[in-house]
């Protein structure tokens, strides 16, 4: 049973995949970033809600396919949103991403660029 995205509802973003993974310089990360959006009241998945994944420019570089720093995708019937693949940048360190959706506080996830 899914909840349609609507006005006046409060949602939660739950990181659901791709977190904590590693890739070497200029390599593609093995997994996409994935998040699930649920209604806070009944924990029902929220379908067809735009979710944005944004690279935090203060962290080490990791970009989505095509060199994009942000992407917006819709949640599926189970409330999941999945980013395109990510590519590691030049410098080693932690890359931080913020995940946002209307009606939900943002979530933050990290991945690592290895030496």
């Amino acid at each position: 049973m899914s909840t349609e995205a609507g006005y006046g509802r409060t949602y939660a973003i739950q990181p659901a995949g791709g977190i904590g993974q590693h890739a070497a310089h200029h390599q593609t990360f093995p997994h996409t970033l994935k998040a699930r959006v649920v209604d806070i009241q009944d924990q029902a998945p929220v379908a067809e809600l735009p979710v944005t994944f944004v690279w935090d420019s203060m962290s080490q570089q990791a970009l989505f396919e095509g060199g994009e720093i942000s992407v917006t995708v819709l949640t599926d019937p189970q409330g999941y949103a999945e980013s395109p693949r990510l590519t590691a940048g030049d410098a080693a360190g932690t890359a931080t991403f913020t995940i946002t959706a209307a009606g939900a506080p943002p979530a933050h996830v990290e991945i690592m660029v290895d030496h």
Side-chain angles (χ1 to χ4, degrees):
M1 170 171 27
S2 70
T3 302
E4 293 297 318
Y7 297 101
R9 311 227 1 116
T10 304
Y11 304 129
I13 300 171
Q14 303 168 336
I19 303 153
Q21 63 184 318
H22 294 254
H25 299 276
H26 303 286
Q27 298 298 309
T28 300
F29 283 87
H31 306 286
T32 59
L33 297 180
K34 194 171 186 180
R36 186 168 194 235
V37 181
V38 296
D39 187 297
I40 286 185
Q41 289 183 332
D42 59 10
Q43 295 298 302
V46 181
E48 297 189 29
L49 183 70
V51 174
T52 301
F53 296 85
V54 179
W55 167 57
D56 174 359
S57 62
M58 300 304 290
S59 66
Q60 297 304 322
Q61 185 180 46
L63 300 173
F64 296 104
E65 289 176 345
E68 300 296 322
I69 62 170
S70 72
V71 295
T72 300
V73 295
L74 292 176
T75 54
D76 66 15
Q78 290 78 39
Y80 288 99
E82 189 171 354
S83 76
R85 292 263 186 212
L86 287 157
T87 301
D90 295 327
T94 301
T96 304
F97 288 83
T98 300
I99 306 168
T100 59
H108 304 279
V109 298
E110 296 179 341
I111 57 177
M112 277 44 108
V113 178
D114 296 330
H115 293 282

